[in-house]
Amino acid sequence: MKRMMLFFLLLSLGYSCKQAEQSYVTKTAKDEAGYTYEYVTDDESKTRIYTLDNGLKVYMSVYKNAPRIQTFIPVKAGGKFDPANSTGLAHYLEHMMFKGTNLFGTKDWDKEKVFIDSIENMFEHYRTLTDSEERKAWYAKIDAVSNEASKLAIANEYDKMVGLIGAKGTNAYTTNDRTVYMNDIPSNQLENFLKIEANRFSMIVNRLFHTELEAVYEEKNRGLDSDGSKVYEGILKLLFDKHPYGTQTVIGTIEHLKNPSIKDINAYFYKYYRPNNVALCLSGDFDPVEAIQLVDKYFGAWEPNNDLEVYVPPVEDPITAPRIDTVYGPNAESVTMGFRMGGTSSKNYHVLQLVDYLLANSTAGLIDLNLVQKQAVLGAGCTVIDMNDYAVHYFYGQPREGQDLAEVKQLLLDQIEMLKKGEFEDWMIQAVVNDFKKNNMQGLESNGARADNMVMAFTNNMSWADYISLVDRMEKVTKEELVAFVNANYSDNYAVIYKLTGEDPNKQKVEKPAITKVDLDRDSKSDFCKSIEAAEVAPIQPVFVDYSKDIVKSEIEPGIEVLYKKNEENKLFNLYYLLDFGTNENPQMKLALDYLEYLGTTKYSPEALKKEFYKLGANFSVFSSEERLYVTLSGLSENMVPSMQLFEELLAEPTPDDEVLKNLISDSHKQRSDAKKNKGAIFWSALSSYAKYGPKSPFTNILSNEDLDALQSGKLLELVKSIPQTQHRILYYGPMELAELNKTLTANHRVPAQLQPAPEKVKFAELDATNPHVFYTDYDMVQAEIIFQSPGEKFDASIAPESAMFNEYFGGNMGSVVFQEIREAQGLAYSVFARFTQGAKKETNDQIFAYVGTQADKQVEAMDALLELLNNMPESEQSFESSKKAILKKIESERITKTSVLFNYLSAEDKGVNYDLRKDIYGKVQNMTMADLSAFHKKYVKDKKYNLAVIGDKNRLNIVALGKYGVVQELSLAELFGYDDPKKQLMN
C-alpha cells in the first residue's frame, strides 16, 4: 500500500529553510522575447518560473515524450478559506467553474443574466426560511425559474470545447489548501487552451446551479457512506480545535449544503480567483518562449487583487494527552492514529519524511518488518498527510482474528519507541534517501508528476529551490538528529479513532429536493466556441506502434522469448516474467504467492531478504491475475544483477515455515470475513461478478474454507518453484544493450533444460441476459449503486472504431450523453457512466456496462433514466462532430512509449491482431457519420437485456420497482463470496 501511495506523496513534498542548499541556487535570465524568468541550478526538470506584471506565476518544464502538455491551474483557495457559516463554498465554486461565462455556455447572455440574478436572490431568501413547507414551496419556485433559465443555456460547452481541442483528464479537485483545475492537451492547441481558460477565469456564472447542487448532495452522501472518510474527518477533528482543518470539512456541513449562497460564491471567486493568487503550470512538448508570449496575451490583462490578505492560520495549543473517539460503520474494525506536525513548509518537514519511511516503506521499515512481516497484525502502515499549515503523521492498523484494537495501537506506538531509542540500522537513512531519489527519477518521466510538483511548490508558498532540494536536506540528517526529532515530537500528543463494526448512531443523509428535469441544448454553439473550432493549428501526425521496429525479439533458451525495449532516458529498468495462466487454472496460486511474501531462503531470513532488496533499491513482486502470472523486478540498472540473483534464489529455494503458514491461513479467514463487510468488495467484486457469470465465476473459483485449512507448505512451495520451470516469456525495458541483457539473463535466470507446458485454460461461461435477473444485496448505506451489464458477441476488431466513437459520444466523459442527461439535466447522480467494452481477448465477449450511484430515494428515476438512454440514444450532430474531433486529436497527439509498447503488443496479440489497433480507429472515425453510430447503437446496444447488480439498504431500496428489470433475487454474502462451501472441488 505504501508503495502505491509513494508516487502521489512525492508530488506534494516540501520544506522551507533560510537558504536552499548550495547546489540549488535560484538565478534569473531573459528569454529571446525579453521575458525574465527564474530557474534553479542542478534542477533536472529544468523548470522556468515566469511572473507576469499582474502577479500570475507561470511554471514551465519541457519534456518531449509526446506532443502533449499537462496543464494545472492551481488557486490558493481551498476549504480552509471557507467562511465558518458557509462551509463547502470553495468546492461548490469548483463545480460551477465548468458552467461557462458570458461568452460561452449561453445562447443569449443578456436574457439569461436576468434569470441568473433572480435565482441568486431567491437562494438568499431560501436561506432565511425555517418552516419545511415554506422551504419546499419556495424551492419549487427556484426550480421553475431555473428551468426557464436552462432554456438559454448550452449544456457542457466547456467540456465540448476542451474535447474539440483533444484534451484528456479534464477535471478539478479541492483540498483544504487549494483548488486545482487540470487538462492534458495536444501541444498544438496551447493557444486555444489559453484562450478558453483566460475567459473561464475572468468571471463566474452560476449556471444550472440547482442541478449541480444536487450532484454535490450526492457527493456528500457518498462520503457519509464511507467509513474511511468518517475516520479521516474524525482524526482531523480530534487534532485541530481551532484550525479549519478540523473545525470544518471541504465538502461542508449538511446544513450549509441545504442553504447555499450564490452571493458568497461570487464574493469568494472575485476575491481569490485573481492572477496574484493563481499559477499556470505546464509540462510537456512546447517552446517556453512562444508559450509565455501566449500566456501574456490572454492572461496579461487580468486584474489582480492588491488587497488580498495573507492567510494567517490559527495556532493550535499543544496536545498533552491522547484524544480518543470511536466511529461505527459496516466495514471491518481498525485503528487509526494521528500526530499533529509542522506543515509542508516547516523547517523539519524533511525529517518527518525520513521518520515516515523508516517506519513504513513497504519493504524494510520497522512496521513492515516487525508487524506485517512477522504477522503481528493483519495489516499496518503509516503515511504523512501533507497540508500547508500543519501535517498529520497518520498511522493505521488492522487486527488479526481476536486481536484487540488497543493492542494494535500499542504495537504501532512500540515502533515509534524503537526510533526514539535509535534501534534501527545506520544504513537505513541513506536507503530511504535513495528510495526518494529513485522515485524522483521516475517522476521526471511523467508530465503529470512534473506539473504537480509545480502546483505544490506554488500553493505551499515555497521557492522552487526550497521545494526541489528536499532530498538533499534529507541526506544530511544524522541518526542523532533524527532520534532527537522523534523524541521531541512523539509522545502522548496523538489522536486515536477506533473504527468498530456496527450501525452508526450519527447516521445522516442529505435529502433530495424536488427537481424538474431541465432540457439541455446540445446543438447550439456560442460564437466563442465557434472561434475555437475554427482556429487553424499546425497539424500533428499520428504515430502508431510498429511492433516489428519498436520491439526487438530474441531468445535466451529454446521456448523463452525475450521482448526488448531500450530505455534511452535514465538508468532504471523493468523486468517481467510472464506466464499465461493464473488463478483460473489454479486457485491455490494466490495463497502460494501470499506465503512467499513471508519467507526467506537458505541464505537470508525473511527480514534480511527484505532489507537486501531495499538496500539495492529494488522492487520485487509475484502476482497472479485470473489469466496471467507476473514476476516483476524493477530498480536501478546498476543493481539489476544482484537484485535478480536475490529473487531467483527466492523462487528456487524458499524456506518453508509452518508457523507462518498457520498464521497466513488464520489471517486469510479474517480477510475473507472483512471482505464481507466492505462495500467495494461486495459490490464491485462479488456482486458484479455474480451478475456477469452467476455463482461459478473467476471470483468464486477459490479455495473453500475447508481446503484453505488443509494447505501444506510443501504443496505451496512446489507451486512457487514451478514458476520459472513453466513456459514463460521475458519482457525488459531498461538501459542495457540487448546482447548484455541476454548474457545477464542466461547467467542468472534459473530454468530447467525442458520447460513444463502451462496448464490448460479454464473458461467461465457468462450469464445469458435473455431472461434478465436483478441480483441485490442488503448493505447499511445511504446511497444505492446499480450496475447494468449485458454480454455481447466475441471480440471483433472491425467494430473497434464504432465502439470508440460510441464510448466518446455516449458515456465516456463529462460532455457525454449519459453524464449530461443523468447528472446535468436531472441531478440524479454524482457518478454515472456507460461503455461498450470490447473483449480483452479474441475468444472473450464484448459487454455493455453501465453504472449509476444515486440516493436511494432517487433509485427508480435514475434507473429508468439510464435504461431509457441505453435504448434510445439522443442524436446530436454537433455533439457527434465534437466527439469525432476529440478522438482524432487524442490519437494524433498520443504516443505509446516505454513499457507501454510491450504491453500494447501483448494486448494486440491477445486479440489476434498484429498491429496497433488505433490505426483502424483513426482511419475509420474520420469518415464516420451520425448514421453510422446510430446503426452501431441499434445493432449492439438498443433494446438489449441486462442483468443487474444492486447494493443498498433494503429498507430504503424500492424492491418492487426492481421487478420490472427482471427476476429479483436477494443474495446473501455467503452466496456471493462462496468461501463456506465444504463441497467446493479444489482445482489442480
Side-chain angles (χ1 to χ4, degrees), residues 73 164 224 278 293 303 541 546 550 619 671 719 823 886 931:
I73 303 180
L164 281 169
L224 294 174
V278 175
Q293 293 178 80
E303 291 292 330
Q541 295 301 318
D546 185 335
D550 296 330
N619 299 329
Q671 290 167 337
L719 285 175
R823 175 165 158 170

Side-chain angles (χ1 to χ4, degrees), residues 748-797:
N748 296 285
H749 185 32
R750 303 185 185 186
V751 293
Q754 182 68 42
L755 292 173
Q756 298 299 312
E760 185 177 345
K761 285 289 185 182
V762 173
K763 300 296 181 184
F764 292 88
E766 295 184 6
L767 280 183
D768 192 329
T770 305
N771 181 27
H773 279 69
V774 179
F775 303 105
Y776 85 92
T777 195
D778 182 32
Y779 193 83
D780 181 13
M781 58 191 291
V782 173
Q783 285 213 318
E785 298 190 65
I786 302 108
I787 289 172
F788 289 70
Q789 47 191 9
S790 179
E793 303 298 322
K794 300 296 182 188
F795 172 80
D796 180 357

Side-chain angles (χ1 to χ4, degrees), residues 360-379:
N361 52 57
S362 294
T363 304
L366 295 179
I367 292 174
D368 303 317
L369 295 179
N370 297 334
L371 301 189
V372 178
Q373 181 72 35
K374 292 183 178 178
Q375 299 174 305
V377 295
L378 189 63

Side-chain angles (χ1 to χ4, degrees), residues 873-900:
M873 180 180 71
E875 295 187 10
S876 165
E877 287 289 347
Q878 295 285 6
S879 294
F880 175 81
E881 289 301 320
S882 296
S883 297
K884 178 193 288 189
K885 290 177 181 177
I887 289 176
L888 296 175
K889 286 181 170 59
K890 287 172 187 175
I891 293 177
E892 287 166 356
S893 57
E894 182 181 39
R895 298 294 181 265
I896 307 296
T897 62
K898 305 173 186 175
T899 57
S900 296

